[in-house]
Amino acid sequence: MARKKEVSAEQTQRNIIETAERLFMTHGYRAISTRRIAEECGITQPALYHHFPNKQAIYLEVVRSIMIQTEEAMAHVLQDHADSKDRIRQITYFMIMNHQGDMTQMFHDLQYEIDEEHRDTIQEWWMRSYFNPVMQTLTEGIAKGDILSIPSAPPMELTFFVLEMMKSFLPPSKQEHEARRSFADKKSKMLVDILFDGIRKK
Amino acid sequence: MARKKEVSAEQTQRNIIETAERLFMTHGYRAISTRRIAEECGITQPALYHHFPNKQAIYLEVVRSIMIQTEEAMAHVLQDHADSKDRIRQITYFMIMNHQGDMTQMFHDLQYEIDEEHRDTIQEWWMRSYFNPVMQTLTEGIAKGDILSIPSAPPMELTFFVLEMMKSFLPPSKQEHEARRSFADKKSKMLVDILFDGIRKK
DNA sequence: GAGTTAATTTATCAATTGATAAGTTATAAA
DNA sequence: TTTATAACTTATCAATTGATAAATTAACTC
């Protein structure tokens, strides 16, 4: 039967995932010990193993949580904005606002620290949450005639490129909310300005 | 007095640095143990400590070696090419050809794994080898009238942006030489095409 | 109130880590 | 030939790691 305790298991698990997200995404998988996570959650290290089978499972749940949030946000952007440039700017804005630390760290961990058996699942999540919405925006833009079909950059490669541009803007550490808002606003504009019109003087 | 042995101390040290570069730049500082480096060098782990005072010193020497090579290459590019677009393409080409693994890993390690006391020195190296040549190319391009002065992207921020674009193209692992050449050629062209003219259809 | 069980703690393990001490070998200078 | 020493190896250390076992606490059901 379900319990009603001061701190429910659900709350503890959410606490663990949120704490682990902050730590893993800033320092990387290897650099964060299970003791560190437990300490910052206010519990002891073996207590983690009541909620998750091992360290990797915590990491995977963190990644899953991030991807789900992203997928929802991306869907909203595509719903609320029709213009290609607006869409790219809004997606960039979301990523700067919500992805602390560098995401590159996450991709490195997924490639080198996480068991191969989970790669396919994660790649599927990533396609749904990150890749497809950006690719859709670009191909629709090309179809509508907003966006050039560049010979040296076919749609898939262009998508990777745009995602990498976005990643490169992520701030290294957590800022206070207002500073981050203004940073995200400035950088998302800069990205679309360069991406759409380039730096060449005509 | 200097010795003449079958394998000189100099050779061993170079071997250590080259091996450590490959391993550190692929897997990151924390993921590579001193035993792993020693093993792939064909020596025992304590032997490393005859040539370097500690693990961090090996890492710093790796970084120094990379930065020196880069500084030389950048100088050559600026000497041999006058056109802004050519310069950016050549710099991109060099980075793809010579930087294995992802460089973002290196920047993460420098920020989170290396003692603060070395940061200033490394930042100086980085400014000289990476930042200044690209910034010089861009500001000269603006002065010559090749490159737009974009309000949302002042020269310094534009430089960071371009460097991030280059970083994002680095292949995750070592390829064979010819495949890498063709990859570097393709990607460097793609980068300058987008960077200079953008993706907007006119 | 008794009993069950979820949630968590204390104690502990084996493996891996960076680093050091002490002994060994080979080369060059004397 | 002796000798000093650079370049190693073997043996070992204390600290940290992810993980498990066993004991403890608290809450809900009956």
Side-chain angles (χ1 to χ4, degrees), chain A residues 53-98:
Chain A
N54 50 44
K55 184 185 176 185
Q56 191 172 248
I58 300 177
Y59 189 81
L60 288 174
E61 190 50 37
V62 164
V63 171
R64 200 175 73 92
S65 147
I66 291 174
M67 302 263 183
I68 287 173
Q69 282 173 259
T70 301
E71 195 183 346
E72 282 173 19
M74 292 284 204
H76 274 113
V77 169
L78 295 204
Q79 265 172 28
D80 298 350
H81 302 269
D83 180 61
S84 305
K85 194 173 170 183
D86 286 343
R87 283 179 170 180
I88 297 291
R89 194 179 68 243
Q90 289 297 327
I91 291 173
T92 308
Y93 186 86
F94 165 80
M95 285 182 60
I96 296 177
M97 286 302 285
N98 291 278

Side-chain angles (χ1 to χ4, degrees), chain A residues 7-192:
Chain A
V7 177
S8 71
E10 227 176 293
Q11 273 178 297
T12 306
Q13 279 169 38
R14 213 176 321 141
N15 186 15
I16 292 170
I17 294 304
E18 279 167 19
T19 306
E21 174 177 342
R22 179 170 48 80
L23 294 171
F24 279 142
M25 292 304 135
T26 306
H27 297 88
Y29 182 74
R30 249 194 154 83
I32 297 303
S33 67
T34 51
R35 277 166 184 82
R36 176 82 185 276
I37 298 171
E39 191 191 353
E40 301 217 6
C41 284
I43 56 176
T44 59
Q45 183 247 3
L48 292 176
Y49 289 80
H50 181 75
H51 299 281
F52 298 93
N54 50 44
K55 184 185 176 185
Q56 191 172 248
I58 300 177
Y59 189 81
L60 288 174
E61 190 50 37
V62 164
V63 171
R64 200 175 73 92
S65 147
I66 291 174
M67 302 263 183
I68 287 173
Q69 282 173 259
T70 301
E71 195 183 346
E72 282 173 19
M74 292 284 204
H76 274 113
V77 169
L78 295 204
Q79 265 172 28
D80 298 350
H81 302 269
D83 180 61
S84 305
K85 194 173 170 183
D86 286 343
R87 283 179 170 180
I88 297 291
R89 194 179 68 243
Q90 289 297 327
I91 291 173
T92 308
Y93 186 86
F94 165 80
M95 285 182 60
I96 296 177
M97 286 302 285
N98 291 278
H99 288 310
Q100 59 207 3
D102 52 21
M103 243 205 337
T104 319
Q105 189 61 36
M106 182 177 86
F107 286 103
H108 185 275
D109 287 338
L110 289 174
Q111 186 175 6
Y112 292 102
E113 308 287 348
I114 301 303
D115 288 352
E116 207 177 346
E117 50 171 321
H118 298 114
R119 301 254 171 84
D120 289 351
T121 318
I122 293 164
Q123 174 141 348
E124 239 170 71
W125 295 347
W126 181 78
M127 290 293 283
R128 283 227 310 265
S129 55
Y130 290 94
F131 191 85
N132 289 348
V134 173
M135 174 117 163
Q136 187 187 331
T137 298
L138 293 172
T139 46
E140 281 184 18
I142 293 173
K144 278 196 296 180
D146 288 349
I147 294 177
L148 253 180
S149 182
I150 304 173
S152 62
M156 267 189 61
E157 301 193 31
L158 186 59
T159 303
F160 281 116
F161 181 79
V162 170
L163 281 166
E164 289 289 345
M165 282 177 82
M166 291 171 177
K167 276 203 316 198
S168 77
F169 274 138
L170 304 184
S173 60
K174 192 95 183 175
Q175 303 156 299
E176 49 125 343
H177 188 71
E178 203 44 53
R180 199 185 186 111
R181 268 183 63 89
S182 114
F183 179 84
D185 193 64
K186 208 175 112 189
K187 292 295 178 183
S188 56
K189 277 176 184 152
M190 176 176 161
L191 186 142
V192 291

Side-chain angles (χ1 to χ4, degrees), chain B residues 3 5 9 12 35 43-44 46-47 50-51:
Chain B
R3 298 290 184 83
K5 295 187 64 172
T12 306
R35 276 166 184 82
I43 56 177
T44 58
H50 181 75
H51 299 282

Side-chain angles (χ1 to χ4, degrees), chain B residues 28-193:
Chain B
Y29 183 75
R30 249 196 154 81
I32 297 302
S33 66
T34 51
R35 276 166 184 82
R36 175 82 185 277
I37 298 171
E39 190 190 355
E40 301 216 7
C41 282
I43 56 177
T44 58
Q45 184 247 2
L48 291 177
Y49 289 80
H50 181 75
H51 299 282
F52 298 94
N54 50 42
K55 184 185 176 186
Q56 190 172 248
I58 300 176
Y59 189 81
L60 288 173
E61 189 52 36
V62 165
V63 171
R64 200 176 73 92
S65 146
I66 291 174
M67 302 266 185
I68 288 173
Q69 283 174 259
T70 302
E71 194 182 345
E72 282 172 20
M74 293 284 204
H76 274 114
V77 169
L78 295 203
Q79 265 172 27
D80 297 351
H81 301 269
D83 180 61
S84 305
K85 195 173 170 183
D86 285 344
R87 284 179 169 180
I88 298 292
R89 193 178 69 243
Q90 289 297 327
I91 291 172
T92 307
Y93 185 87
F94 165 81
M95 285 182 61
I96 296 177
M97 287 302 285
N98 291 279
H99 289 310
Q100 59 206 5
D102 53 21
M103 243 205 338
T104 319
Q105 188 60 36
M106 182 178 86
F107 285 102
H108 185 276
D109 287 338
L110 289 174
Q111 186 177 4
Y112 292 101
E113 308 287 349
I114 301 303
D115 288 351
E116 207 178 344
E117 49 171 319
H118 299 114
R119 301 250 172 85
D120 290 351
T121 318
I122 293 164
Q123 175 141 344
E124 238 169 73
W125 295 347
W126 181 78
M127 289 293 283
R128 282 227 310 264
S129 54
Y130 290 94
F131 191 84
N132 288 348
V134 173
M135 173 116 164
Q136 186 187 332
T137 299
L138 293 171
T139 47
E140 281 184 18
I142 293 173
K144 278 195 296 178
D146 288 348
I147 294 177
L148 254 180
S149 184
I150 303 174
S152 61
M156 266 190 62
E157 302 193 29
L158 186 59
T159 305
F160 280 116
F161 181 80
V162 171
L163 281 166
E164 290 288 346
M165 283 177 82
M166 290 170 178
K167 275 203 317 201
S168 76
F169 274 138
L170 304 183
S173 59
K174 192 94 184 173
Q175 305 157 300
E176 49 126 344
H177 188 70
E178 202 45 53
R180 197 183 187 114
R181 268 183 63 89
S182 113
F183 179 85
D185 193 62
K186 209 175 110 190
K187 291 296 178 184
S188 56
K189 277 177 183 151
M190 175 175 161
L191 186 142
V192 290
D193 281 349

